[in-house]
Amino acid sequence: MFCLVGADPADYGLSRVLVGPKSDGLVRIELAYVRGAHRPYLYKSLWGTYDPCKLTVLLHRPRHLAKERTMSAIQDFVNLAVNACTKWNLGYDQSNRLDFRDGGETDCSALVIICAEKTGLLPGNDIKAGKGATFTGNMAAAFAARGWQVHRPALPASQLRPGDVLLNDADHTAIYIGNGQLAQASIDEHGNAAGGASGNQSGRETNVMAYYNFPWTATLRHPAPAPVNPAPATPGSDRLITGQSLHMGESIKSRDGNHTLILQLDGNLVLYTAPGKPIWNTATVGTGDHFVLQGDSNLVLYDNAGKPLHAWGGQGTGANHLVVQNDGNLVLYKDDPLQAIWATNTQGR
């Protein structure tokens, strides 16, 4: 939380001039915001013997933060499912499916629905009260009523995003978690739908495994982008690593300082040489908002509503870092062994 103390600039004379415009004489205020905050913050205080602050400071969130809370909820949704299926001792039993806890029981639809409820992605849904989504057969309609997109036929694996719900309306559902994997509740330790002991007796009753086609009859997708709440690029770095992003006004620069990739304030993502010559751009003036190297190895440029404008790289390739090289090429690499997955091919320009 920010605490900015302001006062009447007239009280400070020369100090106001020295600090400069957008100043109250003591604090220069410019582009202040709280990253990840779900609302603005306002703080007033007293200053010595002067009256209460005459300067009102309201910290607005920039456009690119408008979706961060929902984006974070999608990541929480994925994380909760993964933790429940890998770190908890959570078993499978349709007759005790709402005992969602470490040491408890669930089934495929209860896992997905309860994770979505607990992370705020199904407002007004209450599986325990029988309200909204309660089993695979009514999930598509109930999720759609709460703002989710229903894709029929199901999206191919190449188009999936972390947080997508994989649905077979009659028999099964799971959560796509990225990197070619899904989280699911499968079957009890005896291969039955009910009757087993509490907890994950076989180690496979709830699990994370490689993506497969059940077959899925629909994909349910929350309209916000994933991943949620990506970290900013490391200041002074020549690269983005998995989970990092550029927001408007942010950049990464080659180690020799001669080439810069910047997401401009006008929304265009541009690669420049040192003299300021653009050698590659996305032609997204007025639309680009944030640029992310996602956990699924895709590079994606989104608008401020969370709609992908461009995507590069390759889902499932293992690519994990994007580098602005000294030769002017922008390259997406995977490790072990080092391999280029995608590039702008702008070297030497």
Side-chain angles (χ1 to χ4, degrees):
M1 180 184 294
F2 282 83
C3 173
L4 297 180
V5 181
D8 188 339
D11 292 334
Y12 291 93
L14 182 60
S15 67
R16 174 172 55 89
V17 176
L18 294 175
V19 176
K22 303 179 183 177
S23 165
D24 66 346
L26 298 176
V27 180
R28 180 183 175 91
I29 303 164
E30 186 171 7
L31 296 179
Y33 66 91
V34 183
R35 182 178 288 275
H38 64 280
R39 61 181 174 86
Y41 288 88
L42 175 67
Y43 190 82
K44 282 190 174 185
S45 182
L46 296 175
W47 184 261
T49 59
Y50 293 111
D51 293 335
C53 299
K54 298 174 185 176
L55 174 68
T56 299
V57 179
L58 182 63
L59 300 180
H60 292 283
R61 290 178 297 155
R63 287 190 308 147
H64 70 262
L65 297 181
K67 289 286 180 179
E68 272 197 359
R69 192 180 182 200
T70 304
M71 293 172 68
S72 179
I74 295 174
Q75 190 63 58
D76 291 343
F77 173 54
V78 170
N79 291 345
L80 178 57
V82 171
N83 288 337
C85 292
T86 60
K87 296 182 180 179
W88 296 5
N89 180 28
L90 181 64
Y92 185 103
D93 192 325
Q94 287 187 359
S95 66
N96 194 27
R97 62 198 290 262
L98 302 183
D99 187 24
F100 185 78
R101 60 180 177 85
D102 190 358
E105 303 280 80
T106 192
D107 71 0
C108 64
S109 57
L111 171 71
V112 174
I113 294 166
I114 293 173
C115 285
E117 285 183 355
K118 288 183 175 292
T119 52
L121 296 179
L122 282 181
N125 203 90
D126 189 344
I127 187 174
K128 293 184 177 180
K131 182 179 179 181
T134 57
F135 74 112
T136 54
N138 67 7
M139 281 177 58
F143 275 57
R146 288 158 178 81
W148 289 61
Q149 302 162 355
V150 179
H151 296 267
R152 294 187 187 277
L155 297 174
S158 61
Q159 295 180 21
L160 292 175
R161 301 178 193 167
D164 283 350
V165 172
L166 312 170
L167 178 65
N168 179 291
D169 300 81
D171 294 313
H172 193 43
T173 186
I175 301 169
Y176 183 74
I177 62 171
N179 294 319
Q181 294 184 305
L182 57 79
Q184 64 179 355
S186 296
I187 202 71
D188 79 4
E189 67 270 29
H190 304 301
N192 299 322
S198 293
N200 195 350
Q201 303 299 317
S202 67
R204 298 183 301 276
E205 295 183 51
T206 56
N207 59 80
V208 168
M209 65 177 299
Y211 170 84
Y212 65 93
N213 188 1
F214 184 78
W216 309 116
T217 54
T219 304
L220 312 182
R221 172 174 288 173
H222 196 281
V228 284
N229 202 20
T234 304
S237 177
D238 65 342
R239 66 193 59 204
L240 292 179
I241 61 174
T242 299
Q244 289 188 332
S245 64
L246 294 178
H247 293 294
M248 289 188 293
E250 296 177 342
S251 63
I252 52 176
K253 184 175 291 190
S254 61
R255 290 185 178 180
D256 63 7
N258 289 330
H259 299 88
T260 301
L261 179 71
I262 181 170
L263 181 52
Q264 299 180 158
L265 295 177
D266 62 6
N268 203 15
L269 182 68
V270 186
L271 181 62
Y272 285 99
T273 61
K277 174 187 174 183
I279 56 175
W280 179 86
N281 77 95
T282 56
T284 50
V285 173
T287 56
D289 186 81
H290 56 286
F291 175 62
V292 186
L293 176 51
Q294 300 183 161
D296 62 3
S297 301
N298 269 334
L299 284 165
V300 186
L301 178 62
Y302 290 100
D303 68 12
N304 71 330
K307 177 183 176 181
L309 302 173
H310 292 286
W312 306 269
Q315 189 168 6
T317 61
N320 57 10
H321 60 290
L322 176 73
V323 183
V324 182
Q325 299 185 164
N326 289 346
D327 64 1
N329 205 10
L330 180 65
V331 186
L332 179 65
Y333 286 104
K334 64 171 289 186
D335 289 324
D336 196 28
L338 186 66
Q339 178 183 346
I341 302 300
W342 172 85
T344 55
N345 298 315
T346 49
Q347 59 269 30
R349 292 189 187 178

